[in-house]
Amino acid sequence: MKSDRTQNPQTSFQRPELLAPAGNWECAKAAVENGADAIYFGLDRFNARMRAQNFTEADLPQLMQFLHLRGVKGYVTVNTLIFPQELAEAQQYLRTIIAAGVDAVIVQDVGICRLIRHLSPDFPIHASTQMTITSAAGVEFAKSLGCQLVVLARECSIKEIQKIQQATTLPLEVFVHGALCVAYSGQCLTSEALGGRSANRGECAQACRMPYDLIVDGEIVDLQERKYLLSPQDLAGLDVLPDLVKAGVTSLKIEGRLKAPEYVANVTRVYREALDKVMAELERPNPLTPFPPREGGNKIPLSASERGWGRGQEQYNLEMAFSRGLYTGWFKGINNQELVHARFGKKRGVYLGEVTRVRHEQVTIKLEAPVKPGDGIVFDCGHPEAKEEGGRVYTVTPKGLEVILTFGKDSLNFRRVHVGDKVWKTSDPELDKQLRQSFAGDNPQFQRPISLEIYGEVGQLLIAIARDELGNIVQVESAIALVEAHTKPLDTDRLREQFGRLGNTPFCLGTLTNHLQGAVMVPVSELNRMRREIVAQLEELRSQPKRWELRSDVSLQNLLPAISPPSPTSPALIVLVRNLKQLQAALNTGVETLYCEFEDPRTYRQAVELVHQFPTPHSPQIWVAPPRITKPGENWILQQVRAANADGYLVRNYDQLQFFGADRCVGDFSLNVANPLTADYYQQHFGLERLTASYDLNINQLEDLLSSCPPQWFEVTIHQRIPMFHMEHCVFCAFLSEGTDYTNCGRPCEQHEVKLRVDAKRLVDRHRVGSEHILQADAGCRNTVFNGTAQTGAEYVQRLVELGLRHFRIEFVNETPEQVTKTIQRYRQLLQGEISGSQLWRELQLQNQLGVTRGPLGLSPVGGGRKL
């Protein structure tokens, strides 16, 4: 396959990089042979897809040589949080990556960004989507860490991307295709809350793909087959590629490091061809003229049975690659009715139609898409709890607008196939075979253009100057001088014919500029030798590893903060409440530091007045929390928060660090502080009074953090209902209204108490069977699902006090004032040494309405470390 990725210097549009996933060698080859400009892949540690086969550090030299020879970049994912005891290992790991000539690393952890820049001043860092960057302030934060590119959160619309790009100088990358997470990346705590695994450590359990009951005001809502309330359709940005290019996006990223090589080949090829067409359209002088025919090309032809069905080939290929339904995600803005259809949560493929008859082990369907013998299909009865029936088609017999399908003997249980069942094609072996052929063998199948300039005249040597897309340039001269041609002089056509014979090489001939003077000639054998020499020299240049500066005289120890002795003060209890009644109850107990997180920031003014006017000798302080996410145009929410004139602010993101920079601030858990390098950065640059330790830390890792930093930097949440999902998707709007967003939903979030209950058979943790998880909305109409079971770290409090921790937080969600009062009293007794952690845990366990279990500070039942 030849690439036609030529640049028009007059165009104002930058051609984006096409970035494909690679979970193993086959996937890497599939991406390269189908037109990827770069691939991203993980090694066997510190990457967010630990279930992928991944590569090893020993693979890096060979892999990078292969990629660079083919003109493709390679990015390593180091996109997880790193714990204190892992920093030394991470340092050596990064040295290996940099020395191997990798083109960049994709990073989540703030401390790892610091460590990379400490080791190398020029090695490229890409800020992962796990950093939850949704605004220009977030991009500038990444820039301050030394990042050269930012992968934006998937929740950004094209309009928001444009605003961010216009306000910043760093290149932006966006996901353009693949599985769409319902929760903000880097802010999802569901897997750890339900199963002791962490998405921030590459162990997502995909709880969003489960069926849920919707419980409204205590009653289950009958949603019929719509049970997958949190499972979005897969992202497909094909229709908005021109808009993404015009928005100035630098890199278009395909999700799928857990997918098969056929998926990588399929999706990469579709987007390669589509992007080339978009650029050809945008670069044409007259955009109203028809597309010119594309020379070469690599489109997989549809089989005869698949032609004429009105289904675009691109759409068909993408649906067959992997599809839970394809949708543009948040690119066009928020439409809660379309984002989540809620009918299934796993691959379906191409919709074929409905069953109209089942008789004599034959199934008749009214066909809406092509099907042929050998295809795999599944029958969908629409009930999430029902076991699906499926099999491979044996024969297809047309019958008017319908077809009769038969299957292999005993391959289908026909008693479980019913009239009205929807039928999906999940497998197309013919397409898979064609896709596998696209990356089979050792010879390059996708070629990248080189440009040639040819110079010479009679009596002089023929000179060929070749340039590739990467900027490599070589000059080759003939071994003999040019002579005058009497019959067949070297013209442009003959030059293109001879120099264009680049089969079985990574190159194809792009532009050729003929500067020959007069009618000259040289033997064809000499032209062939020159062509081979051009290829050899370019391959040699491209195969050289990148040489990044790697300092040998620096180490991790130079970055670690100085340790100070523990504070002699007594432990303090901080209470976070989520409504005014809880606030009043907490005030009545004599709590001195209160945090408020209310849905409506306008209510903060009333809360501040209540606290400041409360008749008490200890002068309680009230800190208020803005919403966890801030997107372009949402500073009005922050202004509402500040208008309350609180004593301080619980900041959650990069915008808030900037906006409240002159105020008293505490950094919340969403800043993902998991190691001393991250903690030290926030303290140095923002002067926060305290940082909330990451919820990904188990007790051993938390002890390590407190031992490696001044412990007075931190507060730890020891009692809470973990905020599992934090989503742009609004369940209230999608399932309790017919509206699409806040402008037309009728605000059911203000009228109803809503909970979600997962199918008990799907739960990893059997102790939480039947838990009703609490759903709440915030001022930005974003939803948070709180774990229905409260968690406590009470048993570890004494050890944390010994390590110097003095600030302990407990949080409430929907507890009654009586529950708030009793819980605060017990934790105060705990901090005063009047009861033990186990006593508190046992007593509150008996209070069934509190539902406290051993929680986020506990250890995993396997391996001793909850996240490892």
Side-chain angles (χ1 to χ4, degrees):
M1 172 187 175
K2 295 181 180 180
S3 169
D4 59 0
R5 297 183 66 249
T6 55
Q7 291 285 354
N8 182 348
Q10 297 180 339
T11 182
S12 59
F13 300 109
Q14 175 188 14
R15 179 183 290 272
E17 167 188 86
L18 183 60
L19 177 58
N24 55 40
W25 271 102
E26 263 202 308
C27 291
K29 193 172 181 183
V32 169
E33 297 297 0
N34 285 278
D37 298 314
I39 68 166
Y40 64 104
F41 56 94
L43 303 181
D44 48 8
R45 288 170 291 174
F46 308 135
N47 92 81
R49 291 292 183 272
M50 291 306 294
R51 288 185 291 127
Q53 184 176 339
N54 293 312
F55 294 85
T56 68
E57 293 168 72
D59 290 326
L60 281 177
Q62 182 183 356
L63 176 60
M64 295 313 301
Q65 182 181 35
F66 165 69
L67 294 174
H68 288 163
L69 176 62
R70 302 301 304 278
V72 175
K73 293 183 178 181
Y75 308 141
V76 172
T77 56
V78 188
N79 54 346
T80 64
L81 300 183
I82 309 298
F83 298 144
Q85 292 298 322
E86 297 171 331
L87 285 173
E89 181 185 7
Q91 177 182 222
Q92 185 55 50
Y93 184 71
L94 291 168
R95 285 188 178 277
T96 300
I97 290 170
I98 296 169
V102 168
D103 293 286
V105 289
I106 304 171
V107 179
Q108 173 185 17
D109 195 289
V110 167
I112 292 300
C113 291
R114 293 187 66 202
L115 181 55
I116 292 169
R117 197 48 71 235
H118 185 61
L119 297 173
S120 172
D122 61 352
F123 182 63
I125 306 170
H126 294 179
S128 170
T129 192
Q130 290 281 117
M131 287 186 74
T132 326
I133 295 177
T134 59
S135 67
V139 175
E140 292 304 307
F141 177 87
K143 184 177 180 181
S144 74
L145 290 169
C147 297
Q148 281 91 349
L149 175 144
V150 167
V151 187
L152 292 178
R154 294 174 176 89
E155 290 79 1
C156 292
S157 69
I158 291 175
K159 289 183 179 179
E160 290 164 343
I161 293 168
Q162 287 176 318
K163 291 179 180 178
I164 295 169
Q165 186 68 83
Q166 291 165 2
T168 59
T169 56
L170 285 190
L172 302 179
E173 177 178 302
V174 300
F175 279 90
V176 73
H177 192 91
L180 189 63
C181 296
V182 75
Y184 273 93
S185 294
Q187 302 297 314
C188 183
L189 299 165
T190 315
S191 297
E192 73 172 317
L194 296 182
R197 297 158 56 175
S198 170
N200 281 328
R201 294 285 289 175
E203 297 178 330
C204 172
Q206 294 195 316
C208 53
R209 304 301 180 183
M210 299 178 183
Y212 287 85
D213 290 325
L214 183 68
I215 302 171
V216 179
D217 301 328
E219 300 291 331
I220 297 178
V221 177
D222 183 9
L223 296 173
Q224 298 180 352
E225 78 276 15
R226 298 181 72 204
K227 299 280 283 185
Y228 294 88
L229 310 182
L230 306 180
S231 181
Q233 299 189 70
D234 289 337
L235 174 63
L238 207 62
D239 292 343
V240 297
L241 279 184
D243 300 307
L244 290 171
V245 173
K246 292 174 185 177
V249 171
T250 294
S251 181
L252 303 172
K253 188 172 194 173
I254 297 167
E255 184 275 339
R257 283 195 286 136
L258 291 173
K259 300 291 200 307
E262 290 82 3
Y263 166 91
V264 176
N266 192 344
V267 179
T268 302
R269 174 173 291 197
V270 168
Y271 278 88
R272 172 79 279 147
E273 297 235 346
L275 183 58
D276 286 345
K277 283 184 178 181
V278 167
M279 296 310 299
E281 170 73 14
L282 294 175
E283 292 169 354
R284 279 188 294 132
N286 182 0
L288 297 180
T289 58
F291 275 121
R294 185 177 189 274
E295 295 181 5
N298 74 325
K299 284 200 170 185
I300 298 173
L302 295 178
S303 64
S305 64
E306 291 169 342
R307 297 191 185 105
W309 283 87
R311 178 182 298 274
Q313 180 179 321
E314 293 172 337
Q315 179 79 6
Y316 176 86
N317 283 5
L318 292 179
E319 288 181 350
M320 288 310 307
F322 192 96
S323 170
R324 301 179 183 92
L326 298 179
Y327 184 59
T328 51
W330 286 282
F331 279 141
K332 295 181 180 180
I334 295 172
N335 186 323
N336 288 298
Q337 296 299 332
E338 294 184 355
L339 179 73
V340 175
H341 57 61
R343 289 176 173 81
F344 45 82
K346 55 187 175 182
K347 177 182 176 180
R348 275 295 184 267
V350 172
Y351 179 62
L352 291 180
E354 287 190 3
V355 175
T356 60
R357 189 177 187 184
V358 182
R359 186 179 181 188
H360 301 314
E361 298 192 346
Q362 295 180 335
V363 178
T364 303
I365 64 173
K366 185 178 181 181
L367 208 59
E368 296 191 20
V371 64
K372 59 186 180 299
D375 288 347
I377 67 173
V378 66
F379 297 91
D380 179 4
C381 66
H383 298 291
E385 311 305 329
K387 183 178 178 181
E388 294 176 341
E389 190 64 35
R392 202 161 291 282
V393 175
Y394 187 67
T395 65
V396 179
T397 304
K399 184 182 179 182
L401 297 177
E402 300 180 328
V403 294
I404 301 173
L405 307 181
T406 64
F407 301 83
K409 182 175 176 61
D410 300 326
S411 65
L412 208 66
N413 183 349
F414 288 93
R415 290 176 296 180
R416 297 182 49 235
V417 179
H418 309 91
V419 172
D421 284 357
K422 290 178 168 54
V423 187
W424 301 84
K425 185 198 291 193
T426 57
S427 170
D428 184 341
E430 180 181 321
L431 176 60
D432 287 343
K433 179 180 178 180
Q434 293 167 343
L435 289 167
R436 284 191 294 272
Q437 290 172 347
S438 75
F439 56 90
D442 296 327
N443 293 328
Q445 299 192 46
F446 185 91
Q447 298 173 303
R448 296 181 180 275
I450 58 174
S451 63
L452 283 181
E453 298 177 29
I454 307 296
Y455 296 87
E457 58 184 89
V458 172
Q460 295 185 355
L461 300 179
L462 179 68
I463 298 174
I465 300 174
R467 292 179 174 86
D468 69 6
E469 292 182 301
L470 305 176
N472 295 307
I473 183 169
V474 299
Q475 178 174 315
V476 174
E477 299 177 349
S478 62
I480 57 177
L482 290 162
V483 298
E484 185 176 357
H486 299 289
T487 55
K488 293 183 179 181
L490 285 176
D491 57 15
T492 300
D493 288 341
R494 291 196 66 196
L495 290 169
R496 288 195 66 87
E497 179 184 358
Q498 294 303 319
F499 283 103
R501 293 180 176 179
L502 293 166
N504 298 334
T505 78
F507 310 111
C508 62
L509 182 58
T511 60
L512 184 146
T513 307
N514 183 357
H515 295 287
L516 292 176
Q517 297 182 19
V520 296
M521 65 169 293
V522 73
V524 170
S525 61
E526 185 62 13
L527 295 177
N528 292 338
R529 185 197 66 78
M530 292 177 67
R531 184 187 67 242
R532 291 192 294 271
E533 183 64 21
I534 288 170
V535 169
Q537 290 192 28
L538 281 176
E539 287 184 336
E540 176 65 22
L541 287 176
R542 289 159 72 115
S543 298
Q544 296 299 316
K546 294 287 181 66
R547 298 299 182 188
W548 308 111
E549 182 178 346
L550 184 56
R551 295 168 175 160
S552 59
D553 59 341
V554 298
S555 73
L556 169 66
Q557 298 304 317
N558 305 128
L559 284 178
L560 293 174
I563 308 299
S564 58
S567 168
T569 59
S570 300
L573 190 66
I574 301 166
V575 176
L576 185 147
V577 297
R578 288 189 166 88
N579 58 55
L580 288 170
K581 290 182 179 180
Q582 290 178 350
L583 177 62
Q584 183 67 62
L587 274 173
N588 292 338
T589 67
V591 171
E592 297 184 10
T593 304
L594 293 146
Y595 293 165
C596 290
E597 182 183 4
F598 295 171
E599 176 182 347
D600 186 354
R602 292 172 297 183
T603 317
Y604 283 155
R605 186 184 298 274
Q606 183 180 352
V608 170
E609 292 175 354
L610 177 63
V611 173
H612 286 170
Q613 296 172 6
F614 191 76
T616 175
H618 56 69
S619 300
Q621 292 188 345
I622 178 170
W623 300 55
V624 296
R628 210 191 307 182
I629 299 296
T630 305
K631 295 176 76 175
E634 292 186 352
N635 269 18
W636 62 271
I637 299 177
L638 305 185
Q639 291 164 357
Q640 282 188 348
V641 172
R642 175 175 279 160
N645 295 316
D647 296 302
Y649 302 92
L650 185 63
V651 294
R652 273 80 181 279
N653 60 46
Y654 315 115
D655 288 79
Q656 294 164 18
L657 286 168
Q658 182 185 86
F659 188 88
F660 297 105
D663 302 295
R664 298 178 64 193
C665 292
V666 168
D668 205 4
F669 72 94
S670 52
L671 297 180
N672 284 326
V673 177
N675 60 63
L677 300 187
T678 300
D680 183 60
Y681 186 81
Y682 282 117
Q683 288 297 334
Q684 282 188 37
H685 289 79
F686 301 101
L688 303 177
E689 295 199 11
R690 289 183 303 280
L691 291 161
T692 309
S694 166
Y695 292 168
D696 285 275
L697 299 170
N698 66 33
I699 183 58
N700 292 338
Q701 293 148 358
L702 182 57
E703 289 178 356
D704 292 337
L705 181 63
L706 295 175
S707 300
S708 59
C709 295
Q712 62 267 24
W713 283 2
F714 298 99
E715 65 184 51
V716 171
T717 304
I718 55 169
H719 176 97
Q720 65 167 325
R721 298 176 187 272
I722 280 189
M724 302 190 302
F725 296 101
H726 190 64
M727 313 176 289
E728 195 76 21
H729 169 52
C730 182
V731 175
F732 294 96
C733 176
F735 299 98
L736 297 180
S737 83
E738 295 182 357
T740 56
D741 59 22
Y742 73 96
T743 64
N744 53 22
C745 69
R747 307 288 295 181
C749 57
E750 297 176 354
Q751 304 161 28
H752 300 287
E753 180 184 86
V754 175
K755 297 180 180 179
L756 305 181
R757 183 173 61 202
V758 71
D759 172 10
K761 294 192 291 288
R762 309 283 180 126
L763 283 174
V764 176
D765 185 345
R766 295 299 176 183
H767 296 294
R768 290 170 190 157
V769 170
S771 290
E772 295 181 359
H773 304 302
I774 303 155
L775 183 72
Q776 291 193 351
D778 65 17
C781 288
R782 296 173 188 106
N783 285 190
T784 303
V785 180
F786 292 91
N787 194 351
T789 304
Q791 300 183 343
T792 181
E795 292 182 345
Y796 309 107
V797 165
Q798 186 55 46
R799 172 61 180 150
L800 297 176
V801 170
E802 293 171 358
L803 289 170
L805 186 68
R806 292 296 180 265
H807 295 90
F808 297 85
R809 188 201 302 181
I810 63 175
E811 294 193 358
F812 300 102
V813 178
N814 65 344
E815 287 84 353
T816 65
E818 293 75 22
Q819 291 169 335
V820 168
T821 299
K822 179 163 185 169
T823 304
I824 292 173
Q825 289 172 343
R826 292 298 177 267
Y827 278 96
R828 180 174 283 128
Q829 289 177 304
L830 175 68
L831 293 181
Q832 293 171 350
E834 297 174 5
I835 62 173
S836 68
S838 59
Q839 284 177 304
L840 181 145
W841 180 77
R842 284 196 299 269
E843 179 177 344
L844 293 185
Q845 188 181 40
L846 296 174
Q847 305 284 330
N848 291 333
Q849 70 273 19
L850 287 178
V852 178
T853 66
R854 299 174 188 263
L857 304 181
L859 297 179
S860 169
V862 291
R866 186 170 55 101
K867 298 296 179 293
L868 300 180

